[in-house]
Amino acid sequence: MKTKYMNPYLAGVLLGLVLLSAFYFSGRGLGASGAVKSVVVHAVDTVSPSHVASSEFYSKYAGEGKKPLNSWLVFEVLGVLVGGFLSGALAGRLKFKIEHSPKITSKKRLILAGMGGILFGFGSQLGRGCTSGSALTGMAVLSLAGFVTMMAIFGTAFALAYFFRKNWI
Amino acid sequence: MGPLVPQEIIGEGWNFFIAFVVGIGFGFVLEQAGFSSSRKLAGVFYGYDAVVLKVFFTAAVTGMLGLLYFSLFNWIDLNLVWVNPTFLWSAIIGGIIMGAGFIIGGFCPGTSVCAAAIGKIDAMVFLGGIFIGIFAFGEFYPLLKSLYMAEYLGQIKLSDVLGISQGALAFFVIVAALAMFWGAEFAEKKFPQEEY
């Protein structure tokens, strides 16, 4: 069967070169959850600056003239939106759609997606980065944390796969 | 000699522009590889589609080898490249929570942004969930801080932990990646495939 997608090994090499260029130009790797954190901190700061000032977590990133949205990852993730959109447009994949297994309803898929997002968002803060920032980038710089987080993410997903199989297959 | 911005060979003002261009490349490759489809991503955990494993480990090996070669030729100063610090317990427990989020939600943060960009509504909801999860972490931070800061080992590399050279570690990672690719090709033949 002819696949619609790029050969995965070629895509992996290209992704590795994107990662390498981030290291070469900016001295840092890729990320995603950090950008969402910046938006969350910015939102909290807009609604209640006093809450930011009294919070040990938020005050690391906002208040006292710090601008959480002026961050490398925020601009990088804006690029991800543009790059993903361009690729989807070129491949004819732009379409509003709820993708799910025929065994579950769209509603169930959306509830599960929301729950998964909450867990991933929470875990990414505890783990200091997500699949791209901690696992992928961390492994490329040989960081112990990168290997540990990568094994914890994939190991847990494999271990739980059986219980959630009806949602996917 | 790199990295260019930290050494002020390129002005700091360019850093956000570079971030944006790097992001375009990141999003484009993710979408081309099929990472905008949750069923394709989840396939790796059931053996019917191992694209995640192949792309992820090929990228990690490419980035790792690239850094080591660039360093060997003095094109990049590895001391100026950020190494993720290791806080052992939060890395493990954070990873476990993320793994549960992955199998339940079908995306990770980067892939959800990429999938939302082409109109996947489930990805937009997942992304909304990430905001809530991060906000919850921020609000409960006082309770979580002791776990968050526990077992700090510094900006340590796996090669130092194992007492081997970075090159030797890279070699073992490549061998492990090749073994996984072989396993992935085998699994994809064994389990029925569908294109999403």
Side-chain angles (χ1 to χ4, degrees):
Chain A
M1 173 173 184
K2 193 181 176 315
T3 174
K4 311 173 279 190
Y5 297 108
M6 187 186 276
N7 175 293
Y9 300 112
L10 173 61
V13 170
L14 292 177
L15 181 56
L17 294 177
V18 170
L19 175 61
L20 190 58
S21 62
F23 287 133
Y24 183 71
F25 284 99
S26 297
R28 54 155 306 145
L30 303 171
S33 55
V36 182
K37 176 184 72 189
S38 296
V39 177
V40 169
V41 173
H42 177 76
V44 174
D45 192 33
T46 307
V47 174
S48 172
S50 62
H51 187 54
V52 166
S54 66
S55 157
E56 201 182 337
F57 179 72
Y58 299 123
S59 61
K60 276 190 280 185
Y61 312 106
E64 291 166 356
K66 290 194 277 284
K67 292 195 171 62
L69 292 186
N70 274 353
S71 100
W72 197 92
L73 283 179
V74 167
F75 285 85
E76 185 238 50
V77 165
L78 288 174
V80 172
L81 271 175
V82 173
F85 181 84
L86 286 176
S87 165
L90 287 173
R93 283 194 284 265
L94 296 181
K95 194 182 170 198
F96 284 108
K97 180 179 173 186
I98 302 169
E99 188 181 285
H100 61 85
S101 160
K103 287 181 193 154
I104 63 169
T105 61
S106 292
K107 188 181 161 199
K108 187 173 181 196
R109 167 69 187 127
L110 292 183
I111 292 169
L112 289 166
M115 282 171 47
I118 291 171
L119 286 169
F120 223 122
F122 187 91
S124 71
Q125 292 315 296
L126 189 57
R128 293 177 174 75
C130 57
T131 330
S132 46
S134 182
L136 178 63
T137 302
M139 277 177 67
V141 297
L142 305 177
S143 152
L144 173 64
F147 285 92
V148 169
T149 308
M150 179 274 294
M151 284 193 274
I153 293 175
F154 286 105
T156 306
F158 267 113
L160 296 178
Y162 177 80
F163 303 102
F164 293 97
R165 65 192 183 282
K166 289 210 178 75
N167 301 321
W168 302 113
I169 51 176
Chain B
M1 188 175 119
L4 301 181
V5 173
Q7 304 198 94
E8 293 170 353
I9 294 167
I10 293 181
E12 174 66 28
W14 284 97
N15 212 14
F16 289 159
F17 176 73
I18 292 165
F20 183 65
V21 174
V22 164
I24 291 176
F26 186 21
F28 192 89
V29 175
L30 286 182
E31 209 291 322
Q32 281 293 308
F35 280 28
S36 51
S37 160
S38 56
R39 293 190 79 195
K40 205 168 162 59
L41 291 170
V44 67
F45 303 116
Y46 300 98
Y48 63 81
D49 192 330
V51 65
V52 168
L53 188 147
K54 294 179 196 171
V55 174
F56 183 89
F57 283 99
T58 310
V61 164
T62 304
M64 180 184 76
L65 278 184
L67 276 183
L68 291 179
Y69 274 103
F70 274 34
S71 160
L72 189 66
F73 299 134
N74 280 327
W75 293 345
I76 196 164
D77 183 351
L78 282 187
N79 294 317
L80 297 173
V81 172
W82 168 254
V83 176
N84 310 47
T86 300
F87 293 80
L88 197 56
W89 284 116
S90 63
I92 293 171
I93 297 170
I96 289 173
I97 296 171
M98 286 190 267
F102 204 161
I103 198 68
I104 293 170
F107 289 110
C108 60
T111 52
S112 74
V113 172
C114 169
I118 68 157
K120 292 280 168 68
I121 295 163
D122 41 333
M124 297 173 196
V125 173
F126 185 95
L127 197 49
I130 299 174
F131 280 85
I132 298 170
I134 292 177
F135 180 64
F137 184 86
E139 292 302 309
F140 289 109
Y141 183 73
L143 293 174
L144 298 161
K145 192 187 169 192
S146 57
L147 173 62
Y148 185 66
M149 304 304 287
E151 279 299 305
Y152 178 54
L153 304 178
Q155 289 183 303
I156 192 172
K157 294 188 176 188
L158 179 58
S159 43
D160 299 327
V161 177
L162 299 175
I164 58 177
S165 72
Q166 300 191 41
L169 174 61
F171 175 76
F172 290 125
V173 172
I174 292 169
V175 171
L178 290 175
M180 284 188 287
F181 295 155
W182 181 81
E185 299 293 346
F186 177 78
E188 283 182 350
K189 281 196 189 74
K190 190 161 178 245
F191 298 100
Q193 285 188 62
E194 251 181 85
E195 281 288 343
Y196 297 113

